[in-house]
Amino acid sequence: MSKSKLADKVAVITGGNSGIGLATVRLFKEHGASVVIVGRNPKSLEKAKRELGENTLALQADVSKVDQIDDVMSQTKEVFGRIDVLFANAGVSDCPPIQKTEEAFFDFIMGINVKGVFFTFIRALPLLSRGASVIFTSSVANNRGSLGDPLYAATKAAVRSLARTLAADDEVLEKGIRVNCVSPGCIQTPLTVQDTPEMQAAINKYIESAVPMKRWGQPEDVAKAALYLACADSAYLTGSEIAVDGGLGQI
Ligand code: NAP
């Protein structure tokens, strides 16, 4: 595979300090991109920045706060002047049992997974270059029931819907900007590490029985799909979705 699919491109990746986002940052850098990583945890941001070296900006921001997204965009503008690839990937998952769900949790998960994705896109739009690629991280949970995590599934369905509608926006089309989703299934990241060995064994057993390929996916599997959506190879895809789920949502 050619190693310069993103030569001279500027990519902003939310959640770029962990899991799927970090694997994508590494792959984008290998392909020549400069990257802006956005996350909340200063330690993992600093660690990622040290690993990735030059042409990397690591910014601490909470994507559920629009003023903090604005800071990310103005610092990106100051350093790089534009955005060629926007990967709105930051997200949280674990939900409390439905009867114990408080209003504050509802606002928390919607704030990060839906409001965060929407405003990351809206506030990046003035900086997006002609022909830019926008990728949202949805989930296999976007079109099926997700017992135990109803709000998570609802947020990811909302993200899938946003990609369809925003891709058709007049300004977006006029600038040749494409908007697509990557929808992971069960991927081994810090998000899916369980609290106890018993819980981990139970989820491993679920994966063996429910995932047609009978195994976890790796963050790098999703990063490769993100690379395809980011670069010119996917020039005729918009409003679309790539599922990276070992068949979980398909079969
Ligand atoms: P992860 O390793 O926990 O990464 C989540 C990332 O999101 C972290 O970098 C985290 O940064 C960032 N983040 C969370 N809340 C944020 C906020 N308010 N502001 C800024 N950054 C925030 O998990 P992952 O599995 O890579 O998840 C990445 C995306 O994939 C998520 O949208 C998730 O829903 C989706 N997904 C994952 C799976 C899976 O099986 N792993 C399946 C389907 C979809 P900080 O730690 O610094 O806050």
Side-chain angles (χ1 to χ4, degrees), residues 32-103:
S34 301
V35 290
V36 179
I37 304 174
V38 182
R40 293 169 302 184
N41 183 324
K43 280 194 185 140
S44 52
L45 281 168
E46 187 48 42
K47 190 163 171 250
K49 187 168 164 44
R50 268 202 312 275
E51 175 197 320
L52 296 159
E54 58 184 27
N55 295 331
T56 307
L57 192 60
L59 302 177
Q60 187 181 6
D62 179 342
V63 296
S64 69
K65 308 273 192 289
V66 179
D67 58 335
Q68 295 188 26
I69 296 175
D70 283 341
D71 284 346
V72 166
M73 298 311 159
S74 46
Q75 289 188 66
T76 301
K77 185 176 181 189
E78 205 174 302
V79 176
F80 294 113
R82 65 175 199 284
I83 300 171
D84 303 304
V85 179
L86 176 68
F87 187 20
N89 161 75
V92 291
S93 65
D94 278 346
C95 295
I98 47 173
Q99 288 87 348
K100 293 197 172 150
T101 302
E102 303 286 350
E103 184 181 358

Side-chain angles (χ1 to χ4, degrees), residues 15-21 38-41 44 61-64 89-92 112 137-139 152 156 184-187 189-192:
N17 50 337
S18 181
I20 291 167
V38 182
R40 293 169 302 184
N41 183 324
S44 52
D62 179 342
V63 296
S64 69
N89 161 75
V92 291
I112 297 173
T137 303
S138 180
S139 166
Y152 177 72
K156 293 301 184 178
C186 301
I187 309 295
T189 70
L191 191 86
T192 50

